[in-house]
Amino acid sequence: MTPDQAISMWQQWASSMTQMPNQAPQAGFMTGWTKALEQLQSFNGAGAGAGTPRAPKITFPPERLAELQQDYVRQATELWNQSLQSSLTFKDKRFAGEAWERNPLAAFSAAVYLLNTRTLMSLAEAAEADPKTKARLVFAVEQWAAAAAPSNFLAFNPEALKEAVASKGESLARGVQNMLADLRQGHVSMTDESVFELGKNVASTEGAVVFENELFQLIEYKPLTAKVYERPVLLVPPCINKFYIMDLQPSNSLIRYAVSEGHRTFVVSWRNPDQSLAQATWDDYIENAAIKAIQTVRDITGARQINALGFCVGGTILTTALAVLAARGEKPVAAFTLLTTLIDFSDTGVLDVFVDEAMVRHREKQMGKGGLMKGQDMASTFSFLRPNDLVWNYVVGNYLKGQTPPPFDLLYWNSDSTNLPGPFYTWYLRHTYLQNDLIKPNKVTVCGEKIDLRKIDIPVYLYGSREDHIVPIGGAYASTQVFPGAKRFVMGSSGHIAGVINPPAAKKRSHWLREDGEFPPNVNDWVAGATEHPGSWWDDWSAWLASHAGKQVAAPRSYGKAPKYKVIEPAPGRYVKAKA
C-alpha cells in the first residue's frame, strides 16, 4: 500500500463523516467503513500490468474485521453524543491547546481524525502478510496519519487562525517568509540556525587538526590533565553526520569528557563529499580513512596499540577496518567501543521498510559507479521516521503560525547534513542492510582481504539505547554474539542520540548492566538478568576504558609530532564546516 492509497482510504472515511448533520452516525460510519475496506482489499495486485510485479498478498481475518467494525461504530457513536453534550479535550499535544477546546468544529475534526487514525492503524496491524509488507503497510499508515492531521492545515487549526487575527495577518506573512527561506536552504528549519557558529558555541573543545587527506581530517584535543594514559583513544563518528554530535557544548561533550578523564583524544572529522569524491568506495573509507587514522594516531603518539570508539555507522566502519587488519595479522587496537552500532543487520527496525533488492538495484544503477547520495535526502528519510516531532511540528510552527523555532544545538546538528559517495553508499546498502554479509565469515572482500569478524579477538564495550528507532536495542545487542573477545554490554534509556549524549552531571535517565558475564542470544533474556542503575553510563565506560589504557604518562605539550604531523588549523577544522 502506498501513501496515496492510504490517503484515499482516509477520504472515504472523511466523506462519511459529512453524512450526519442531525442524525445518529451509524449509517454514515458504516458506509465509510465498507468503502474503506473495499479500497484496501483492492490493493492486492492493483495496478499490476504487463511487466509489473504483482503486489504482495494482503488478507484480513474476518473475525478481527468484525471486531474493528463494531469498535469503530461504538466509539463514533460515543464521540457524536459527547460532542453534543460537552466540550472535547485531548491529551495529544497537537490538539491540547485552549483554542482547540473552545472551537467545537475544530475539536470535533480532531476527535474524528484521532478515531480514524486509531482504526486505520488497527486495520493495518490486523493485516496478514509477509513481515516486510506488513511493516510497510503500518509505516505508510503512520505517514498518512501524521500528514493528514487537521492541525497541519490553516483552515482547521484554531491556534493558527487565532494568531493570524491577533497579528492582523502578520503571522501569515512571516510564515510565507519562513517557507520561502526554507525552500532556499532545502530543509524545514528546526531551530534558529543563525545563533550557532562552529568553533564558538558548538564544537568548541580546544584542539588542532594534525593530519588530513581527501576523506578526513584528524583532530587532536588539548589535554585537560597533567598526565594522560599511554594508550590514546581514537573516536570514529558516523560519516552520514558531522562529528560534533560528540562535542555540542562543554556540558554535554563526550569528547571533552574523554579528555577530562585523562585520555589523549583524537577524532576523525569526515569531509563532506562533493563531486571530487563521487567515485569513493567502501574500501577507500576503510583503507584511507579508518585504517589511516589508526596508523596516524600510533605514529603521532608512539603507542604500539591504541583504543578506538565507533558511533553508529562509524562503528560499522571501525569494525570493518579491524577485520581487515586482523586478516593481515595486525592488531594495532587494544580495545574498542561500539555505540548504537549495527554489525549483525538481522534487526534493523523501521529502516527495513526502505530496503529490498529492487531498491538497492535502483540505487546501484543510479550511483553505484559514481555520483552522490545527497545529504538532504538522507536527512529527510530520518526525519520522517518521527514525522510529528521532526517534520509537521515545524511546518505548523514555522509556516502556519509564523514562528521562529528556538535555538537548540542538537537540532542544529541534525539539520547539518552530509553527502555520501554513491559507490560507498550502494556497497553499504547491499552488504549490510540487504544481505547482512559482515557477520558471514569470508563472505565479503574488503581492501583485498576476506574478512572474518571472529578474528577481532580483543575486548569490546557495546552500548545500545532501549528506545532507539535507528539501531534497535536487539540489533545493538546482537554484536555480543559476534565478537569472541571479552565483552561488556550496557543498555541506556532513551533513543539513538539522547541515550548516547547523556553526561553524568545531568543526572538523567538510567542504564542497565549485567555482571554475571552471560550473553544469552536474545536481548530480552539479557535484560531479565540486568540491574538498573540511575544516571549516565559514561562513568562505567570511562572505568572500562581506563582498564585498557595502560599507565599514565606526562601529557604532551604540543599537538601532533614534528616534523611530519604539524598543526594544520585549529579545531574543529574546515571539513566540518562544508555544507551539503
Side-chain angles (χ1 to χ4, degrees):
M1 186 176 80
T2 68
D4 287 343
Q5 292 167 332
I7 290 172
S8 176
M9 185 183 301
W10 155 254
Q11 290 170 339
Q12 297 283 359
W13 260 313
S15 66
S16 76
M17 299 304 296
T18 66
Q19 300 177 25
M20 48 182 192
N22 295 301
Q23 59 183 342
Q26 285 93 333
F29 282 123
M30 289 294 290
T31 300
W33 172 270
T34 302
K35 290 182 178 179
L37 183 56
E38 290 172 352
Q39 181 81 9
L40 181 58
Q41 289 175 326
S42 73
F43 295 160
N44 288 325
T52 302
R54 186 174 179 81
K57 183 174 178 59
I58 302 173
T59 60
F60 297 89
E63 64 279 3
R64 180 58 177 152
L65 288 179
E67 181 184 348
L68 287 173
Q69 189 177 40
Q70 292 169 4
D71 286 345
Y72 184 73
V73 171
R74 176 183 55 79
Q75 293 181 63
T77 303
E78 292 173 354
L79 171 60
W80 178 253
N81 292 333
Q82 182 185 356
S83 69
L84 296 176
Q85 298 171 9
S86 62
S87 60
L88 300 170
T89 58
F90 306 94
K91 294 182 180 179
D92 190 311
K93 64 182 181 181
R94 293 172 294 178
F95 316 117
E98 183 180 356
W100 288 91
E101 183 178 350
R102 291 188 170 218
N103 187 317
L105 180 59
F108 188 71
S109 71
V112 170
Y113 158 78
L114 292 173
L115 172 59
N116 288 336
T117 296
R118 289 194 303 270
T119 304
L120 191 52
M121 281 300 302
S122 296
L123 186 60
E125 290 165 357
E128 293 181 344
D130 65 88
K132 186 181 284 284
T133 297
K134 186 168 182 177
R136 285 175 166 170
L137 181 63
V138 171
F139 182 79
V141 172
E142 289 173 342
Q143 295 302 312
W144 158 81
S151 53
N152 298 339
F153 302 92
L154 180 63
F156 295 104
N157 189 320
E159 293 176 331
L161 292 172
K162 181 180 178 180
E163 179 64 26
V165 172
S167 67
K168 297 181 180 180
E170 289 184 9
S171 64
L172 298 181
R174 291 194 302 269
V176 172
Q177 292 172 349
N178 290 341
M179 183 175 65
L180 293 175
D182 285 353
L183 287 172
R184 286 192 295 269
Q185 71 180 5
H187 64 266
V188 177
S189 294
M190 299 180 182
T191 184
D192 185 355
E193 298 179 19
S194 65
V195 172
F196 299 100
E197 183 178 350
L198 290 173
K200 290 192 175 181
N201 54 7
V202 285
S204 60
T205 299
E206 189 174 356
V209 175
V210 294
F211 173 83
E212 69 180 37
N213 63 16
E214 71 280 2
L215 293 175
F216 76 102
Q217 288 186 315
L218 184 67
I219 301 173
E220 180 180 6
Y221 287 90
K222 182 179 180 180
L224 296 174
T225 54
K227 291 187 175 182
V228 296
Y229 291 101
E230 63 179 342
R231 279 192 189 129
V233 61
L234 169 67
L235 308 185
V236 184
C239 57
I240 62 173
N241 300 108
K242 303 290 183 69
F243 82 86
Y244 64 89
I245 184 56
M246 298 189 289
D247 190 30
L248 290 173
Q249 303 291 332
S251 61
N252 64 2
S253 170
L254 181 60
I255 291 173
R256 186 177 180 85
Y257 176 80
V259 175
S260 68
E261 291 290 291
H263 297 282
R264 192 173 179 185
T265 303
F266 295 79
V267 172
V268 169
S269 174
W270 298 103
R271 182 178 169 193
N272 199 340
D274 55 20
Q275 285 299 327
S276 67
L277 287 179
Q279 307 295 325
T281 65
W282 182 262
D283 282 20
D284 292 330
Y285 272 68
I286 302 304
E287 189 75 71
N288 300 325
I291 292 176
K292 184 62 177 179
I294 292 169
Q295 294 170 339
T296 303
V297 171
R298 292 175 66 206
D299 288 346
I300 291 174
T301 62
R304 187 178 67 85
Q305 287 185 309
I306 69 170
N307 292 318
L309 176 149
F311 185 3
C312 190
V313 180
T316 310
I317 291 172
L318 173 62
T319 300
T320 306
L322 295 178
V324 170
L325 291 168
R328 295 173 179 172
E330 302 176 32
K331 193 182 288 188
V333 174
F336 70 115
T337 299
L338 297 180
L339 306 180
T340 59
T341 294
L342 287 172
I343 301 301
D344 180 344
F345 284 73
S346 299
D347 179 8
T348 58
V350 68
L351 290 176
D352 184 61
V353 304
F354 298 107
V355 182
D356 59 18
E357 180 66 34
M359 175 268 192
V360 174
R361 284 186 180 179
H362 169 71
R363 288 300 191 184
E364 288 173 336
K365 182 178 180 180
Q366 181 184 47
M367 63 182 69
K369 296 185 181 302
L372 293 176
M373 178 62 185
K374 295 296 185 180
Q376 189 51 50
D377 292 344
M378 288 189 293
S380 295
T381 297
F382 285 112
S383 291
F384 274 99
L385 298 181
R386 293 171 54 198
N388 285 326
D389 293 333
L390 297 180
V391 180
W392 300 108
N393 173 50
Y394 298 103
V395 169
V396 172
N398 297 1
Y399 309 153
L400 302 190
K401 299 180 182 179
Q403 299 170 345
T404 299
F408 188 10
D409 52 9
L410 178 59
L411 292 178
Y412 174 75
W413 166 84
N414 191 63
S415 300
D416 194 4
S417 59
T418 58
N419 302 322
L420 285 179
F424 168 95
Y425 172 66
T426 54
W427 190 101
Y428 177 65
L429 276 181
R430 175 164 293 282
H431 292 290
T432 59
Y433 280 92
L434 182 64
Q435 297 178 180
N436 196 16
D437 287 336
L438 293 182
I439 62 169
K440 302 171 184 175
N442 302 314
K443 172 66 174 178
V444 292
T445 299
V446 181
C447 301
E449 307 289 346
K450 288 189 176 295
I451 63 172
D452 183 351
L453 301 187
R454 297 173 301 179
K455 294 181 180 180
I456 307 176
D457 57 348
I458 58 177
V460 57
Y461 188 100
L462 301 165
Y463 170 84
S465 290
R466 186 179 59 183
E467 288 86 30
D468 196 335
H469 62 294
I470 295 174
V471 178
I473 185 62
Y477 178 80
S479 296
T480 63
Q481 310 300 303
V482 175
F483 301 113
K487 294 177 283 284
R488 186 169 183 82
F489 181 80
V490 57
M491 179 177 74
S493 58
S494 197
H496 189 68
I497 298 300
V500 172
I501 307 304
N502 183 29
K507 299 185 184 302
K508 291 183 177 180
R509 307 184 182 95
S510 297
H511 64 281
W512 287 259
L513 296 166
R514 183 166 173 167
E515 301 296 352
D516 62 4
E518 295 295 322
F519 296 98
N522 189 283
V523 65
N524 294 324
D525 295 330
W526 182 91
V527 171
T531 301
E532 182 177 359
H533 300 268
S536 173
W537 58 272
W538 285 15
D539 288 340
D540 181 78
W541 171 71
S542 179
W544 177 89
L545 185 61
S547 70
H548 297 286
K551 65 179 184 293
Q552 291 196 321
V553 298
R557 297 182 178 180
S558 60
Y559 299 113
K561 185 179 181 181
K564 187 175 181 180
Y565 300 104
K566 297 180 179 179
V567 172
I568 297 173
E569 59 185 338
R574 69 188 186 281
Y575 279 16
V576 74
K577 297 178 181 179
K579 297 296 183 179

